[in-house]
């Protein structure tokens, strides 16, 4: 007889720990996928600004980078605020569209569920 079979509370504790780790991995995967989709939206935005060409996209990015470097600290901080706010809103919107997969991450599929 194994030690876990003799102590059911220890077995339940191990199963709960495994369930917690599994849910954590699923949520981390969901977050990573949503973040990558958000960055893809930003990439698509610059691709549209560049008239759907790599040359135009690189020119737009060069223009943005040169203006950012030339700006003073207050303007750079303002740009960062706008950028991170926009990324946060995009992440939230994409998360809303992916909410069913987030709910599925919390469902246990084992026999103990």
């Amino acid at each position: 007889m194994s030690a876990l079979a003799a102590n059911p509370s220890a077995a339940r504790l191990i199963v709960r720990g495994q369930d917690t780790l599994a849910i954590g991995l699923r949520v981390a995967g969901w977050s990573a996928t949503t973040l990558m989709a958000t960055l893809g939206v930003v990439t698509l935005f610059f691709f549209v600004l560049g008239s759907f060409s790599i040359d135009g996209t690189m020119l737009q990015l060069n223009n943005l980078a040169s203006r950012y470097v030339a700006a003073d600290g207050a303007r750079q901080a303002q740009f960062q605020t706008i950028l991170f706010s926009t990324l946060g809103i995009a992440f939230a919107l994409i998360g809303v569209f992916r909410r069913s997969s987030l709910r599925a991450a919390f469902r246990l599929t084992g026999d103990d569920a």
Side-chain angles (χ1 to χ4, degrees):
M1 181 177 259
S2 73
L4 289 178
N7 190 353
S9 64
R12 277 194 304 269
L13 185 62
I14 289 174
V15 169
R16 283 185 187 216
Q18 291 171 345
D19 290 343
T20 302
L21 289 174
I23 289 171
L25 284 172
R26 290 178 193 158
V27 171
W30 182 89
S31 298
T33 304
T34 305
L35 179 63
M36 292 304 290
T38 302
L39 295 176
V41 167
V42 172
T43 304
L44 180 64
F45 174 75
F46 280 107
F47 198 61
V48 168
L49 279 179
S51 301
F52 296 100
S53 71
I54 297 296
D55 293 336
T57 302
M58 292 302 149
L59 286 173
Q60 291 296 329
L61 288 172
N62 184 32
N63 182 29
L64 177 68
S66 65
R67 290 176 184 264
Y68 180 80
V69 170
D72 62 346
R75 296 289 282 171
Q76 287 180 355
Q78 182 183 19
F79 175 76
Q80 290 174 2
T81 302
I82 292 169
L83 176 68
F84 290 128
S85 298
T86 304
L87 286 174
I89 291 168
F91 185 87
L93 287 173
I94 292 170
V96 166
F97 290 121
R98 299 192 69 236
R99 67 185 176 268
S100 64
S101 63
L102 181 61
R103 270 189 240 129
F106 288 99
R107 279 190 226 119
L108 299 177
T109 57
D111 297 332
D112 298 329

